[in-house]
Amino acid sequence: MQPKRLLGILILLGVIATGMVSAQDAQPTTPFTPAISREIVSVLALGDAVFEPNAWLAGGQEYRDRTVVSWISDEVGGIALAEYLHFDEGFNPADVNAFFNTDWFAAAFTDYDTWTQTAACTDGSATLYEFTLTLMGVNYGVRYWIEPLPPTRILAMQILFPQDQAELAATYAARYKPAFAGCP
């Protein structure tokens, strides 16, 4: 199995295994939710202007407590993952950064040999964390955005590339969040 494909599988399994939120049965009304019946379509649409369909494979799954979508490209060597987390009782936006703590990231990156947070910055209610990861001797850079979407959703989006492709990673980050692509 190719290291990039193995990496994608490990990331997806690690994220799916970190179901640390409660279920939301009803479709919420948030600025993110369009007038369609399947939440997965909304989450997949996040990548429409970011990831070229001829270079990136998309897949996803809806769960009671989250919707998870991944984009994987063997061609460019990148992986992106969106988790649209459901909170049936709502959440306090002031508590969001405390929720995404060391334990959260340790679970998210459990399949890597090492991980180190290198930066964190905010833009309004959104927070961007930057990390370096190592897997089988290969170093990766990750940008991990956390965006509260009250009253019942939080979007966690990460884009990962090998560190030797930092320019390409920056290009995709700028497509995803043009005004908040990286920490200063």
Side-chain angles (χ1 to χ4, degrees), residues 16-164:
I16 289 172
T18 60
M20 300 187 289
V21 296
S22 60
Q24 169 72 28
D25 292 329
Q27 183 77 3
T29 302
T30 70
F32 179 69
T33 305
I36 58 174
S37 61
R38 302 305 311 196
E39 186 173 86
I40 195 165
V41 174
S42 300
V43 180
L44 279 164
L46 290 171
D48 287 351
V50 181
F51 308 109
E52 306 89 350
N54 61 336
W56 293 80
L57 296 176
Q61 185 70 41
E62 291 178 316
Y63 302 94
R64 289 200 177 275
D65 64 345
R66 67 193 176 272
T67 299
V68 179
V69 171
S70 65
W71 297 267
I72 299 173
S73 177
D74 287 339
E75 182 179 320
V76 298
I79 297 170
L81 186 70
E83 280 190 282
Y84 198 46
L85 305 170
H86 307 179
F87 291 85
D88 62 350
E89 299 296 319
F91 59 88
N92 180 348
D95 295 335
V96 171
N97 287 336
F99 182 80
F100 290 93
N101 58 22
T102 302
D103 292 338
W104 174 273
F105 291 115
F109 301 138
T110 192
D111 293 321
Y112 291 90
D113 300 329
T114 63
W115 64 275
T116 304
Q117 183 178 325
T118 57
C121 53
T122 60
D123 182 30
S125 63
T127 302
L128 171 58
Y129 298 93
E130 296 181 3
F131 297 92
T132 57
L133 307 162
T134 304
L135 179 65
M136 296 186 291
V138 178
N139 294 322
Y140 297 89
V142 177
R143 295 178 194 200
Y144 200 115
W145 293 266
I146 307 298
E147 186 173 356
L149 301 168
T152 61
R153 297 292 192 258
I154 297 174
L155 175 61
M157 175 71 162
Q158 60 179 295
I159 296 177
L160 175 144
F161 275 89
Q163 277 189 331
D164 65 358

